[in-house]
Amino acid sequence: MGKRTSGNIFLTGFSYTGKTQVSQLVAKRLGWKLVDTDDEIVRLAGKPIPEIFAQDGEEHFRKLERQALANVCRRKSTVVATGGGIIMAPENRQMMRGSGAIICLEAQPETIHRRLLIDSANSKDKVVRPLLASPDPLARIISLKQSRQNAYVDSDWTVHTDHLTEEEVATEVIRGWNYICKGAASKGAASSAPTEETAAVVTTATESYPIFVGWGILDTLGQRMKDAGLSGSAYVISEDHVFPLYGERAEASLRAAGFTVASFVVPFGEKSKSIEIAKKIYDFLVERRAERGHAIVALGGGVIGDLAGFVAATFLRGMPLVQVPTSLMAMVDSSIGGKTAINHPQGKNLIGAFHQPRLVLSDVEALSTLPERELISGWAEVIKHGLIRDAEFFEFLEKNQKELTRLDRKATTEAIKKSAAIKAAVVSEDEKESGIRTLLNYGHTIAHGLETASGYGQLLHGEAVAIGIMGAARIAEQVGLLGRDAVERQNNLFRGFGLPVVSPDVDPQAVLKAIELDKKVQKKSVRWVLLEEIGRAIVRADVPPEVVRGVVGNYDHR
């Protein structure tokens, strides 16, 4: 496919395949700029395209077209709607491919003809469309389309639009861009992002959205939300340990982008993930007459992301959500994928909904103000991503442990980008946890049991996950899946980051009872995520109960 120096999207295709409308949707979803090459040509020439052809001829127009394309190709994070003939020149295709992905919108001639007739009938413009000027418009479409087909076939990705809505076409365009410009990420590897701060793009059947990761990027929040098509009011939901640090900056960024801002701050900690707190936020939104198009901004750690996300999913049957995670755990895990929830006394996250955000913005600099224990806790999820999907990333964590524990700017940003890309790739493949997404629960079965049995708050989530992962590793070793060396590598890396690997003084029977209530139980069998090797996880529902009881009951003695 050639080297991609940027991650731009170039939409091409015959007339009435939807380039204009789809380019707008794609740019809105990704929070990118939108450029039409015809508009650029008009800007360069200082006159409309018909006048260029009439006064200067087609050869001059094609020169302007190449110049406009060259200018556009120097941009980043841009969706480009191209003119109908731009793809015909091989040098143009080479320029576009060097700057991103060429994605062709395709349709059958009969579909194009039907859309043309509908558009003409509904248009207030009485000028006869050029294609309709032919005695046989359908034959003319077939002839023209056939003459361009070899160039269309040379695109990197093709979306057949005949039976798709514009929203569905936009989803397929972004899916194609993910595959072409971030091909390794689509396989679960943590590839480098096509732009400096775009770690990944989540593309599901219902939504596509970017994940921005960078150092000191909180001040760009308002503009990125505006670029994503959001406007009007923004309601910042935060916690009392975070809002004094970052609330003012977030609000200022939002106001500078034209948003009306109001904020609601909840007490720090897992206890705020309750129906009582959610009701208070509902009351806050009702008092301010929040509308369905207004945005909820979750500014904080995983608790805030879950709580604000749940409110966004349920108030007015759904409001746009923007995740602004400030903890390591939230940056690499809970802010990505659309899981939202509040707790029930009988279990963690039992009341919830899937509600994808419009964008995720992670300012890595915020980690410098995290309490040490909470920061350490977050590394558990980062390590988990390497364990289940990417052995090379796990090795990166082993080799850069010292730099990461002291929050080296370059190493930490790279680790968060790679970890976020792994999570995004898994979520893109399986939005509702019906398949591969289950692998993200590695260690969580025991972890949630520990959290429930000990009472929320004794263990941080990452601490429970680290203990749970080591429990799952010992289960895998005992059933013959995982070698001793792999178990020890996990143990050593967790200890190196300062994470616990054995449980505190918690009643094993209470942990086992909580495991039975876990969301991953199906037909009374616990689905265990286990490793076959580092970088490759599987799901097993046939783990002998006595093995589980032995591992859980002996944590304190390891």
Side-chain angles (χ1 to χ4, degrees):
M1 293 182 184
K3 184 178 179 181
R4 314 282 169 167
T5 59
S6 184
N8 296 324
I9 294 174
F10 296 87
L11 284 182
T12 187
F14 201 79
S15 299
Y16 292 95
T17 53
K19 289 178 295 182
T20 299
Q21 295 85 352
V22 171
S23 63
Q24 293 170 355
L25 287 171
V26 172
K28 180 179 177 180
R29 286 192 187 184
L30 297 178
W32 286 9
K33 300 296 183 183
L34 172 63
V35 174
D36 190 305
T37 55
D38 284 349
D39 292 341
E40 288 295 297
I41 293 168
V42 170
R43 186 182 62 81
L44 287 171
K47 53 187 171 183
I49 289 176
E51 290 186 16
I52 299 174
F53 273 93
Q55 298 172 11
D56 307 310
E58 183 176 356
E59 184 178 353
H60 181 68
F61 173 82
R62 297 303 173 192
K63 288 181 180 178
L64 290 173
E65 188 176 56
R66 282 192 293 274
Q67 183 180 347
L69 182 62
N71 293 342
V72 169
C73 286
R74 285 192 285 269
R75 302 188 183 196
K76 292 184 178 181
S77 301
T78 302
V79 179
V80 185
T82 66
I86 205 167
I87 198 172
M88 299 301 293
E91 59 268 30
N92 289 346
R93 298 199 295 272
Q94 184 177 355
M95 270 197 290
M96 289 188 284
R97 186 164 286 116
S99 179
I102 306 173
I103 299 180
C104 178
L105 303 188
E106 182 62 275
Q108 294 294 324
E110 293 77 10
T111 301
I112 294 169
H113 184 226
R114 184 176 66 254
R115 292 172 178 172
L116 170 62
L117 293 175
I118 293 172
D119 181 61
S120 297
N122 295 333
S123 176
K124 296 179 181 179
D125 184 0
K126 300 305 180 182
V127 177
V128 176
R129 299 288 192 270
L131 288 174
L132 289 178
S134 168
D136 188 344
L138 179 57
R140 176 62 174 159
I141 291 168
I142 293 172
S143 175
L144 274 176
K145 193 168 181 296
Q146 187 174 7
S147 70
R148 299 177 181 179
Q149 202 60 36
N150 287 339
Y152 292 151
V153 169
D154 194 34
S155 299
D156 299 310
W157 189 265
T158 299
V159 180
H160 293 272
T161 69
D162 299 80
H163 305 295
L164 300 179
T165 67
E166 291 171 355
E167 290 282 352
E168 290 169 336
V169 175
T171 295
E172 291 306 310
V173 168
I174 297 172
R175 193 183 306 279
W177 171 78
N178 264 319
Y179 180 81
I180 295 157
C181 292
K182 294 175 65 59
S186 71
K187 298 177 179 63
S191 64
S192 58
T195 60
E196 184 178 356
E197 292 164 353
T198 306
V201 174
V202 174
T203 303
T204 72
T206 61
E207 190 61 84
S208 299
Y209 56 92
I211 301 168
F212 301 111
V213 177
W215 193 278
I217 65 172
L218 179 59
D219 297 323
T220 69
L221 172 63
Q223 185 59 49
R224 292 187 193 273
M225 287 175 56
K226 187 176 179 181
D227 291 343
L230 298 173
S231 61
S233 295
Y235 303 100
V236 179
I237 311 300
S238 190
E239 53 196 351
D240 57 15
H241 284 202
V242 171
F243 192 79
L245 296 172
Y246 302 109
E248 186 175 339
R249 282 179 62 191
E251 288 184 339
S253 176
L254 291 166
R255 290 193 179 99
F259 290 90
T260 300
V261 185
S263 298
F264 189 93
V265 180
V266 306
F268 176 80
E270 192 75 24
K271 291 183 179 179
S272 283
K273 276 177 59 174
S274 68
I275 192 66
E276 292 79 16
I277 296 294
K279 182 181 180 301
K280 290 181 180 180
I281 301 175
Y282 293 145
D283 293 341
F284 163 79
L285 295 173
V286 169
E287 289 171 3
R288 282 151 186 81
R289 298 187 178 182
E291 300 176 9
R292 187 175 291 177
H294 295 167
I296 299 288
V297 179
L299 176 66
V303 167
I304 287 298
D306 281 356
L307 173 65
F310 178 77
V311 169
T314 53
F315 191 75
L316 296 177
R317 298 182 180 177
M319 296 175 67
L321 170 66
V322 175
Q323 292 278 9
V324 187
T326 58
S327 71
L328 178 55
M329 179 76 69
M331 288 180 185
V332 301
D333 184 57
S334 59
S335 68
I336 303 167
K339 278 188 175 182
T340 73
I342 55 177
N343 297 330
H344 186 277
Q346 295 300 313
K348 182 181 174 70
N349 297 333
L350 288 183
I351 307 168
F354 284 93
H355 188 64
Q356 300 293 346
R358 294 289 289 272
L359 65 91
V360 179
L361 185 142
S362 296
D363 187 340
V364 182
E365 189 177 19
L367 300 183
S368 61
T369 59
L370 273 184
E372 183 179 11
R373 185 184 174 194
E374 189 174 349
L375 176 62
I376 291 172
S377 172
W379 289 114
E381 292 288 351
V382 178
I383 295 169
K384 180 201 73 178
H385 287 154
L387 286 170
I388 63 171
R389 295 281 279 181
D390 194 335
E392 290 185 5
F393 181 45
F394 185 82
E395 292 174 6
F396 169 86
L397 298 174
E398 289 179 315
K399 292 176 182 177
N400 292 274
Q401 177 189 310
K402 291 183 179 179
E403 289 80 3
L404 294 171
T405 53
R406 59 181 174 85
L407 282 185
D408 174 80
R409 176 172 177 169
K410 181 179 179 181
T412 305
T413 301
E414 183 177 356
I416 294 173
K417 281 184 176 180
K418 288 182 175 181
S419 187
I422 292 172
K423 175 72 182 280
V426 173
V427 169
S428 294
E429 291 182 54
D430 178 16
E431 179 183 12
K432 298 294 179 67
E433 201 172 320
S434 58
I436 194 173
R437 187 167 177 172
T438 303
L439 301 183
L440 294 171
N441 290 318
Y442 184 47
H444 284 59
T445 299
I446 293 176
H448 287 170
L450 284 168
E451 290 173 310
T452 301
S454 63
Y456 302 127
Q458 181 175 339
L459 281 172
L460 295 182
H461 182 59
E463 295 169 340
V465 167
I467 297 169
I469 285 176
M470 289 313 305
R474 291 173 185 129
I475 289 173
E477 181 186 9
Q478 291 191 30
V479 299
L481 278 176
L482 195 63
R484 185 65 185 169
D485 178 66
V487 175
E488 286 304 313
R489 285 181 68 190
Q490 293 175 69
N491 183 76
N492 291 338
L493 189 57
F494 282 128
R495 288 186 179 275
F497 275 92
L499 285 157
V501 293
V502 295
S503 83
D505 185 17
V506 178
D507 180 8
Q509 292 306 312
V511 176
L512 292 168
K513 181 180 178 181
I515 288 173
E516 292 175 359
L517 289 172
D518 191 271
K519 301 184 300 300
K520 294 171 283 301
V521 173
Q522 284 187 348
K523 297 179 180 179
K524 298 184 179 180
S525 294
V526 178
R527 293 182 299 156
W528 289 94
V529 181
L530 303 174
L531 294 189
E532 292 184 309
E533 62 182 9
I534 290 176
R536 188 167 66 183
I538 61 170
V539 179
R540 291 278 293 268
D542 60 348
V543 175
E546 60 271 19
V547 173
V548 177
R549 287 195 296 268
V551 169
V552 172
N554 284 282
Y555 263 136
D556 292 332
H557 308 295
R558 295 294 297 221

